[in-house]
Amino acid sequence: MTTIPPLSEDEAQRLWAGSRSERDEYFFSAVAVSSTVWAWDFETGLLEIDDQDNALVPLWPHPRLAEMAAEAMGFEDAGPATPVEVDVLLDEVYENFHREGHEIAVLPTNGQFTTIHSLERFRVKVFEARLHTAGLTDEAARTRRDEFYADRKRRADQRLDLSRDDRRALVAHLRERLADKECDHRFAFPATREWIEAQGLSWALVSRSAVKVLCSCDCEALEHFQETTTAR
């Protein structure tokens, strides 16, 4: 049985009227303790669509806040808010969502979303909030953080699922693209969309995974794929 965290009506109203940063802070602090998020319709994917037709997954840290959002947006058939273990989302459900580029809407109120996160950013925020509440020593926290980021790379490689030949071809393409260019440490993926799609690969999946998980600049992208061609 899911334990509903305490939240008085006055507190709910105060959060509702609070700033984005206040709602964001409350969301991740509450989830770090309860390990539970609340959604309208878990069975059908928890999806809402924003004005740009991007698939968003709205989540709340408490069922009362989810009910208030349904009322404010006129969703009379939203049904009761459903508790979902955050680890189930991160380890199972969102891995499927990732391929479609779904993003997470954190504690939406009357249609204005507090924050919209990618899967990977949401995972990081949950991890850091949990780490903050764990009361670990600095050394233990560093070890936990190293393990976490190593796991992110492993997950990204699983999503990409590139064969050794695909990786070697990608490395050759990256080398060619960077041959006459000095890396300026941009948060970018140097492969071209045309080349990626010509290989029968998904540009959205490859570029999103590489930029948000595997690297922070052009040279790191090349270094990662060079290493994984020899490791496989």
Side-chain angles (χ1 to χ4, degrees), residues 42 76 78 90 118 128 145 148 164 184 199 205 207 227:
F42 181 56
E76 297 178 358
L90 293 176
S118 68
E128 292 294 345
R145 189 173 281 111
F148 171 76
R164 179 173 293 180
D184 57 6
Q199 310 307 303
L205 177 61
S207 61
E227 289 175 351

Side-chain angles (χ1 to χ4, degrees), residues 180-199:
D180 58 352
K181 170 187 167 188
E182 182 177 348
C183 178
D184 57 6
H185 300 288
R186 293 180 305 123
F187 193 70
F189 186 52
T192 62
R193 179 169 188 155
E194 293 78 6
W195 186 89
I196 290 292
E197 293 181 343
Q199 310 307 303

Side-chain angles (χ1 to χ4, degrees), residues 16 18-21 23-24 27 40 46-60 69-70 73 75 103-117:
W16 192 260
S19 66
R20 286 189 173 197
S21 60
R23 283 178 278 156
D24 201 55
F27 180 97
W40 284 329
L46 311 90
L47 295 182
E48 287 300 317
I49 306 298
D50 72 3
D51 292 338
Q52 288 74 46
D53 292 331
N54 294 320
L56 298 176
V57 183
L59 299 176
W60 294 266
M73 287 186 258
F75 295 153
E103 295 181 310
I104 301 161
V106 172
L107 211 166
T109 54
N110 59 347
Q112 301 299 313
F113 293 110
T114 301
T115 306
I116 297 175
H117 286 309

Side-chain angles (χ1 to χ4, degrees), residues 32 126-136 140-142 144-145:
V126 171
F127 169 77
E128 292 294 345
R130 284 173 158 174
L131 197 63
H132 180 73
T133 62
L136 302 176
R142 280 195 298 271
R144 186 77 62 82
R145 189 173 281 111

